[in-house]
Amino acid sequence: MLWQEEYPKAIEIIENAYIEAKTANMSSTTMLYVYDSLAAYYSTMSLFEKGEQYAVLARDLASKNGNVVNGLPVIYILCMTYERAEKLDSAAACYEEMIMLSAMVKAPRYLFLAPAGKANVALKQKKYSQALQLLYLAKSYVNKVIVNPAHIIALNNGFAKTFLALQQPEQALEYIQASELLLTDYDRPLNNRYSRNTLSLKAQSLEQLGRFAEATNALKLLIKLTEQAKETTQQKLEQEARSRFESTQQDIKLQLAEEKLKYQQITLDKLAKEGQLQAAYSVIGILAILSITIFALNQRKAYLRSQRRANTDPLTGAHNRRYILDFIAAQLIGKQQNFSVSILDIDHFKQVNDQYGHDIGDQALIAFSALLTEQLADTEYQFARFGGEEFIVVMPNLTLAQGHDFIGNLCICLKSLSLTDKKITLTSSAGVAQMQPGLALNTLLKVADTNLYHAKNTGRDKVCS
């Protein structure tokens, strides 16, 4: 869940595991996993002090039990936490320990991850020769272990960064092209982040080579991906703030639980002496059932609230990118259902923001969302804000021609309305695509996006399919 950026689900799972571990007789290995998960969560949310705290607890537990194999992923989380917190000397020493332990137990996965991680630290310390040596060491293990494509992309980009620092852009570009090849088949929530990192390095390499037109194209695509990532970044920041509150609340709950257990034990001892132990068990049983029921209801309400927040665009109140992609995957893909999608973009939206201010731009986005809500109210169609001024409409049971006509009417309706206080007329461009058997979701969206850009590049205020 963490690697997929499903933070509310992740913390719910981790909290339940932590409470279970604290109230049951768990093995030390299970406890190690709980600490490791907590460390990974807090480190990911940039709460490095708490991440380090749980990672050290897990490492010490593994060391105490001589559990080197299960201790390696724990040490990896600790090393990454040091690195993210910019404790570079501690991170370097941690990765060195990881290299030694990996070699001792012959664990190829960590023999790859440890030097790759230390190379990243060396890069930050500007030790480029050492970084290159470590990257080649990590690369030597790629074919010996199944590695997540994301790690290979990060390794390739590490080479690119190092060669750029050494003023060798040709070699950097070779590794960037290898990353781009992997990214074409890497359909994960973190794809945008790795794509942006790769494009940034590509632009730098092309600039060093004097290929300025190609560098400019790479930067334009980087800007587009950055816009798409804004919404996700905002959600992460909101979740980070919530996680701080949840962390405090969790500590309070655990303290209260421990105090309650102590009080119950004192009460039980007293009742036992008075010969009323059986009655005590009955009373405590009823109270326990009631407490569990109330706790479960509260947890369910909190979960539903977090789900609504995670699936809703905070500005317009419409569904967001995550919701609509889940809707397509769950409701339409694989069910042989005929459907079309359209990506709509408000024309000259940047000019609206520049001339009238972002408040007017926000009004336009909110009104456009309200228009779509009204127009789709009596249909089975769904829409979402896809990012920036882009919206996506999903139209089950519509062919390409039918979808084209429906979106064309929507665009005409938009042009006839005044969406802001400034009484300005806005138009929109749209691209429509139809799902075909065997077509991947990403490909379908790329076709719609390509049609949108054709509409914008051939005069705007039109629909292309």
Side-chain angles (χ1 to χ4, degrees):
M1 294 294 100
L2 284 177
W3 308 149
Q4 294 177 20
E5 297 192 336
E6 298 282 357
Y7 302 121
K9 290 182 183 178
I11 191 58
E12 181 185 16
I13 293 168
I14 298 168
E15 284 181 350
N16 289 339
Y18 186 68
I19 292 169
E20 182 71 16
K22 282 290 186 180
T23 55
N25 187 21
M26 292 289 180
S27 69
S28 58
T29 302
T30 303
M31 202 67 223
L32 183 149
Y33 291 147
V34 172
Y35 287 146
D36 188 31
S37 299
L38 283 164
Y41 175 78
Y42 287 116
S43 178
T44 303
M45 300 309 299
S46 301
L47 301 171
F48 302 123
E49 187 175 341
K50 290 190 74 67
E52 183 181 335
Q53 170 193 337
Y54 284 111
V56 169
L57 282 172
R59 182 198 62 186
D60 292 348
L61 190 57
S63 177
K64 178 182 176 182
N65 294 300
N67 195 345
V68 177
V69 174
N70 286 325
L72 280 170
V74 170
I75 294 174
Y76 183 45
I77 293 295
L78 180 58
C79 296
M80 287 197 298
T81 304
Y82 284 142
E83 183 184 338
R84 290 168 177 171
E86 296 297 323
K87 296 182 177 181
L88 298 182
D89 290 338
S90 298
C94 182
Y95 280 123
E96 187 60 39
E97 179 189 2
M98 189 174 157
I99 292 172
M100 180 188 69
L101 291 174
S102 301
M104 185 175 76
V105 297
K106 298 179 180 178
R109 174 178 173 80
Y110 293 97
L111 281 169
F112 165 80
L113 292 173
K118 190 174 180 183
N120 204 38
V121 174
L123 267 172
K124 292 181 178 180
Q125 295 174 322
K126 299 184 179 180
K127 299 177 180 178
Y128 302 123
S129 297
Q130 183 188 31
L132 203 56
Q133 182 181 3
L134 288 162
L135 288 167
Y136 279 120
L137 176 59
K139 187 178 180 181
S140 69
Y141 288 98
V142 168
N143 296 324
K144 299 177 184 179
V145 64
I146 298 174
V147 181
N148 189 316
H151 292 310
I152 307 297
I153 294 167
L155 180 72
N156 288 337
N157 289 352
F159 273 110
K161 288 178 190 175
T162 308
F163 282 124
L164 278 172
L166 296 171
Q167 299 297 308
Q168 298 178 36
E170 295 91 349
Q171 289 91 331
L173 206 53
E174 289 180 13
Y175 281 98
I176 290 165
Q177 289 166 349
S179 289
E180 288 181 321
L181 188 61
L182 282 171
L183 280 164
T184 57
D185 296 319
Y186 185 62
D187 185 16
R188 295 290 187 277
L190 295 179
N191 181 286
N192 184 295
R193 181 185 303 172
Y194 287 113
S195 295
R196 282 184 284 131
N197 189 21
T198 303
L199 280 168
S200 175
L201 293 168
K202 184 177 184 179
Q204 293 174 56
S205 301
L206 292 167
E207 185 180 0
Q208 281 193 21
L209 289 167
R211 294 158 61 178
F212 300 115
E214 294 174 74
T216 300
N217 288 335
L219 287 171
K220 285 180 180 177
L221 186 52
L222 174 61
I223 290 168
K224 180 181 177 183
L225 291 180
T226 302
E227 287 294 322
Q228 291 176 359
K230 279 183 180 179
E231 180 180 347
T232 303
T233 303
Q234 182 61 34
Q235 289 176 355
K236 182 176 177 180
L237 291 172
E238 290 172 0
Q239 177 59 27
E240 180 179 330
R242 287 197 296 273
S243 71
R244 293 176 188 272
F245 171 76
E246 289 163 357
S247 170
T248 303
Q249 292 297 101
Q250 187 60 39
D251 290 341
I252 292 170
K253 280 196 288 186
L254 290 172
Q255 291 171 12
L256 290 174
E258 289 171 2
E259 290 298 321
K260 186 176 179 180
L261 287 171
K262 290 177 184 176
Y263 175 77
Q264 287 179 345
Q265 189 59 51
I266 293 169
T267 305
L268 281 172
D269 291 342
K270 182 178 179 181
L271 290 172
K273 292 176 183 177
E274 297 174 358
Q276 298 176 357
L277 187 59
Q278 189 60 44
Y281 280 134
S282 299
V283 171
I284 289 173
I286 293 169
L287 290 174
I289 291 170
L290 183 60
S291 297
I292 291 169
T293 302
I294 293 171
F295 178 75
L297 288 171
N298 287 334
Q299 288 291 90
R300 177 64 179 167
K301 289 178 182 178
Y303 171 72
L304 291 174
R305 282 197 301 271
S306 69
Q307 283 297 95
R308 282 194 294 273
R309 284 195 296 264
N311 289 323
T312 303
D313 173 52
L315 173 64
T316 64
H319 292 311
N320 60 16
R321 183 189 188 96
R322 167 184 167 177
Y323 171 86
I324 204 71
L325 293 181
D326 284 349
F327 170 79
I328 296 173
Q331 302 296 326
L332 302 175
I333 297 292
K335 295 185 178 180
Q336 304 302 317
Q337 184 173 351
N338 183 47
F339 70 95
S340 297
V341 301
S342 176
I343 299 178
L344 299 92
D345 184 286
I346 300 176
D347 294 328
H348 302 297
F349 188 73
K350 185 176 183 301
Q351 293 179 15
V352 174
N353 280 332
D354 292 345
Q355 183 174 354
Y356 299 105
H358 286 276
D359 287 346
I360 297 300
D362 287 349
Q363 283 183 24
L365 291 172
I366 292 167
F368 189 46
S369 177
L371 169 67
L372 289 173
T373 300
E374 179 183 341
Q375 294 296 316
L376 305 184
D378 297 324
T379 72
E380 58 181 327
Y381 312 152
Q382 294 277 349
F383 83 95
R385 185 182 176 195
F386 215 46
E389 68 272 25
E390 284 188 349
F391 290 79
I392 181 170
V393 178
V394 181
M395 299 164 283
N397 299 313
L398 284 197
T399 64
L400 185 63
Q402 291 169 333
H404 184 284
D405 291 343
F406 181 80
I407 296 300
N409 289 331
L410 271 183
C411 292
I412 292 171
C413 184
L414 169 68
K415 191 162 54 173
S416 69
L417 299 175
S418 179
L419 302 183
T420 71
D421 293 343
K422 295 296 182 180
K423 309 299 181 186
I424 54 178
T425 299
L426 294 175
T427 63
S428 61
S429 302
V432 185
Q434 182 180 354
M435 187 62 185
Q436 303 292 337
L439 194 66
L441 176 55
N442 267 2
T443 307
L444 174 68
L445 296 177
K446 284 178 183 176
V447 172
D449 198 46
T450 300
N451 290 336
L452 166 63
Y453 273 82
H454 182 66
K456 295 185 81 65
N457 291 332
T458 55
R460 293 184 170 85
D461 189 19
K462 64 170 65 174
V463 181
C464 289
S465 58

